[in-house]
Amino acid sequence: MSINAGKNAVRGDVLRRMEEAMNAYDLDALADCFTEDFRSELPIHPGRSFTGREHMRRNWAGLFAHVPDLAATVLQSVTDGDQVWSEWEIAGTTVDGGRYLSRGVAILSLRGERIASVRFYLDDVDTDAGDPAATD
């Protein structure tokens, strides 16, 4: 195995661990995927950006409570240096019976085997928009 293949395996492993932890509702395992000084950037919603693994834990604890059957899926990913670009779908049913569906891209920057920062381009899917191809 080449050194690059080994690095790619580590990068793919953190993505796999993250997905598995989300689907197991395991906050400890999810938090272990991130550095203590983890930085989350949401360019579409900059006011929601934050720093710190503990803040990430609180956010995910809230999401797990709100969507108790949450299912996260990495649709595809690619590694570029110390970055992992990944396309996600996160779905489930909220505690009030509504549909939860979020899709988009997360660009992870790694430090060792953990995520040091992420740029989330995920957003809620507009499920009642109708068919954009339909005409009046």
Side-chain angles (χ1 to χ4, degrees):
M1 174 188 312
S2 71
I3 293 175
N4 288 338
K7 286 182 181 180
N8 286 338
V10 168
R11 292 179 182 113
D13 182 57
V14 73
L15 194 62
R16 180 191 52 76
R17 288 187 298 121
M18 187 176 163
E19 180 183 35
E20 288 176 358
M22 288 177 187
N23 290 323
Y25 317 103
D26 187 339
L27 279 174
D28 291 333
L30 184 58
D32 191 51
C33 294
F34 299 87
T35 62
E36 284 286 335
D37 61 344
F38 164 72
R39 191 178 76 247
S40 177
E41 297 178 43
L42 290 92
I44 296 171
H45 306 285
R48 298 181 192 170
S49 297
F50 64 89
T51 300
R53 180 168 38 188
E54 285 309 309
H55 193 137
M56 181 278 313
R57 279 182 71 96
R58 286 191 306 273
N59 287 356
W60 277 97
L63 186 57
F64 289 157
H66 183 64
V67 186
D69 65 344
L70 180 138
T73 305
V74 176
L75 301 174
Q76 55 187 333
S77 66
V78 65
T79 299
D80 180 21
D82 287 334
Q83 291 189 339
V84 178
W85 293 56
S86 53
E87 180 184 5
W88 289 83
E89 178 175 281
I90 303 173
T93 306
T94 65
V95 292
D96 59 2
R99 181 176 181 208
Y100 179 86
L101 181 59
S102 183
R103 292 183 181 135
V105 174
I107 304 168
L108 294 73
S109 294
L110 304 180
R111 186 181 320 135
E113 296 181 13
R114 290 193 169 81
I115 301 163
S117 68
V118 65
R119 292 176 59 87
F120 278 113
Y121 294 93
L122 278 77
D123 208 351
D124 294 340
V125 174
D126 186 3
T127 56
D128 23 291
D131 182 0
T135 58
D136 293 345

